[in-house]
Amino acid sequence: MSGASSRAVVPARLRRARLGVGLLFFTNAIAYANLVPRLPEVRVDLGLSYTQFGLAIAMMPVGALVLGLTAGALIRRFHSNNVGTWGMILLAGSVVLAGLAPNGVLFAGALFLAGALDSIADVAQNSHGLRVQREYGRSILNGMHGIWSMGAVAGGLMGGAAAGLGLDLSLHLATVAALVAATNVWGHRLLLPGADPKADVEHGAAEATGSPVDAPATTGAGARRAISGRTWLVLLALGVVAMSGTWVEDAGATWAASYLRDELGTGATLAALGFVALQGMQFVGRITGDRMVDRWGQRGVARVGAVIGLVGMGTALAFPTVWGTVLGFGAAGFGVATLIPSAMAVADDLPGFKHGAALTYLGWLLRASFLISPPLVGLIADAVSIRAGLLLMPISAVLVLLLARVLAPRRAG
């Protein structure tokens, strides 16, 4: 059968499930992205320094680290479709609590709760997306993450417009939360029902995205759970690759608006464009990423993306201008577009792990990276400048170039 015809024959239930997962990804992004352009005013209203603000933001990954490892067990007990849906509804409510916080401590506490819920919902939606991808027989997860980026762009534009109009923050976020809840209640019926079958880890290389790991043939449940030291090292390397992507995403979400407002002198609405540009170009990279990965392999796409991000953001930081910075954030977003879905696809096929366990561990590493990034950039910003703190972005591109070999190469044939 030709590639064109095989792509055309997709059962209706899978198309519905793909839409349902897409709604999970979209609402996951739009919930928090509406708060992002308003973070500078939150910092000022609460009287926080850059370091204190960075520490408050870091409570999101702390919540994820404390409670995120429960995601795998919750998925096995309640199934990824249910955990993803209700996790998203609760996440949207926690973002409202952050907007209502009267002081820095309660703001940090609300972000702690949001981080825990986001971690659980994130693993569930990716687990369900991978389930749908396996039944499709080709890569679709990059497109799912592209929908997340589209939601982030929409949320960023909404938040920027709300900030420019001076809308009440709590009312703004409550309206968004109601929209998220209604969308997920409706979209839940589109998802695949029942328990999530464990992928056959012995045949991970036959998946659409492939596997770079030479897994020995094993039989029996006990053999599958014998995890080698090399497999753990591959998972750690995948974590660093994915973390490089999260550092870039966090820089856009946490610091782009503050950098453009405080150091380059833009207004509130224009300051939102750094985050919007990053997420917009990440959306472009992800919506085209599945075909790029199928054609050139995860490894090659990641390396080219790292070069684009390194040159784009490195140039923007070396020669700071408003529009050059916006373009730099856009280049960085395009460069990291496929990193997280590629790392997740490889991790989910690693031999020996229970269903959802490798994804949960990888998600835990991603949240750990968010714990490091905000306070680190905040400390550098207070000591030197936000511009100096944003050097973490080109550094992350260098790490991808060094570790991209753990991703899948181009498939033969």
Side-chain angles (χ1 to χ4, degrees), residues 265-288:
T266 66
T269 301
L270 184 57
L273 292 185
F275 172 71
V276 170
L278 187 148
Q279 294 297 342
M281 290 306 296
Q282 189 177 60
F283 165 72
V284 173
R286 284 176 168 172
I287 211 69
T288 59

Side-chain angles (χ1 to χ4, degrees), residues 21-33 36 60 88 91 118 121-122 125-126 140-156 245-246 248-250 252-253 275 278-280 282-284 286-287 333 336-337 340-341 367 370:
V21 177
L23 291 175
L24 284 176
F25 275 86
F26 184 84
T27 53
N28 180 273
I30 204 172
Y32 184 71
V36 167
M60 287 191 72
M88 266 311 310
L91 169 61
D118 179 60
D122 182 61
Q125 68 190 30
N126 277 287
I140 63 169
L141 193 62
N142 282 293
M144 301 288 188
H145 283 253
I147 293 173
W148 185 96
S149 297
M150 183 170 63
V153 171
T246 64
V248 171
E249 289 184 10
D250 176 68
F275 172 71
L278 187 148
Q279 294 297 342
Q282 189 177 60
F283 165 72
V284 173
R286 284 176 168 172
I287 211 69
V336 301
I340 294 175
R367 307 302 165 171
F370 279 119

Side-chain angles (χ1 to χ4, degrees), residues 32 35-61 98 101 103-105 107-109 111-112 169 250-259 261-262 370-379 381-382 386:
Y32 184 71
L35 177 61
V36 167
R38 311 201 68 171
L39 287 176
E41 68 183 85
V42 171
R43 184 186 69 81
V44 172
D45 290 344
L46 298 180
L48 303 177
S49 69
Y50 286 128
T51 301
Q52 291 170 332
F53 176 68
L55 289 171
I57 295 294
M59 288 301 100
M60 287 191 72
N103 56 57
V105 174
F107 176 64
L111 293 181
F112 176 94
L169 179 61
D250 176 68
T254 305
W255 300 107
S258 293
Y259 177 54
R261 286 184 67 172
D262 299 350
F370 279 119
L371 177 61
I372 297 169
S373 175
L376 175 61
V377 176
L379 285 168
D382 279 333
I386 302 179

Side-chain angles (χ1 to χ4, degrees), residues 28-374:
N28 180 273
I30 204 172
Y32 184 71
N34 267 273
L35 177 61
V36 167
R38 311 201 68 171
L39 287 176
E41 68 183 85
V42 171
R43 184 186 69 81
V44 172
D45 290 344
L46 298 180
L48 303 177
S49 69
Y50 286 128
T51 301
Q52 291 170 332
F53 176 68
L55 289 171
I57 295 294
M59 288 301 100
M60 287 191 72
V62 170
L65 292 172
V66 172
L67 298 174
L69 287 177
T70 63
L74 288 172
I75 290 170
R76 290 190 293 272
R77 175 66 178 84
F78 299 107
H79 312 157
S80 62
N81 56 347
N82 297 320
V83 176
T85 298
W86 295 107
M88 266 311 310
I89 294 172
L90 294 174
L91 169 61
S94 69
V95 175
V96 178
L97 293 179
L100 294 171
N103 56 57
V105 174
L106 292 179
F107 176 64
L111 293 181
F112 176 94
L113 177 61
L117 292 168
D118 179 60
S119 177
I120 293 169
D122 182 61
V123 173
Q125 68 190 30
N126 277 287
S127 179
H128 204 79
L130 286 167
R131 177 182 174 185
V132 177
Q133 176 172 277
R134 289 190 185 95
E135 294 203 38
Y136 256 74
R138 59 181 172 86
S139 177
I140 63 169
L141 193 62
N142 282 293
M144 301 288 188
H145 283 253
I147 293 173
W148 185 96
S149 297
M150 183 170 63
V153 171
L157 290 172
M158 291 167 63
L165 294 172
L167 296 182
D168 178 74
L169 179 61
S170 57
L171 178 61
H172 165 209
L173 296 179
T175 302
V176 173
L179 175 64
V180 168
T183 301
N184 278 278
V185 169
W186 180 82
H188 181 262
R189 59 184 180 177
L190 302 177
L191 302 174
L192 297 177
D196 305 282
K198 170 61 181 170
D200 187 352
V201 295
E202 299 166 24
H203 298 89
E207 299 293 340
T209 51
S211 173
V213 182
D214 297 323
T218 56
T219 57
R224 288 184 183 180
R225 296 178 185 175
I227 306 172
S228 68
R230 180 176 180 272
T231 300
W232 283 110
L233 287 175
V234 170
L235 181 61
L236 179 60
L238 290 170
V240 175
V241 169
M243 286 162 63
S244 298
T246 64
W247 287 336
V248 171
E249 289 184 10
D250 176 68
T254 305
W255 300 107
S258 293
Y259 177 54
L260 285 162
R261 286 184 67 172
D262 299 350
E263 297 193 11
L264 299 184
T266 66
T269 301
L270 184 57
L273 292 185
F275 172 71
V276 170
L278 187 148
Q279 294 297 342
M281 290 306 296
Q282 189 177 60
F283 165 72
V284 173
R286 284 176 168 172
I287 211 69
T288 59
D290 290 312
R291 288 184 179 271
M292 290 193 296
V293 165
D294 284 343
R295 183 169 183 177
W296 294 301
Q298 298 169 348
R299 188 181 302 171
V301 173
R303 284 172 173 163
V304 172
V307 172
I308 292 172
L310 179 62
V311 173
M313 200 62 202
T315 302
L317 293 174
F319 307 101
T321 63
V322 172
W323 291 109
T325 298
V326 171
L327 292 174
F329 275 110
F334 185 84
V336 301
T338 64
L339 294 184
I340 294 175
S342 291
M344 286 181 167
V346 175
D348 202 46
D349 283 335
L350 290 177
F353 291 99
K354 293 181 180 179
H355 174 52
L359 279 180
T360 300
Y361 295 142
L362 184 61
W364 192 87
L365 289 173
L366 293 180
R367 307 302 165 171
S369 72
F370 279 119
L371 177 61
I372 297 169
S373 175

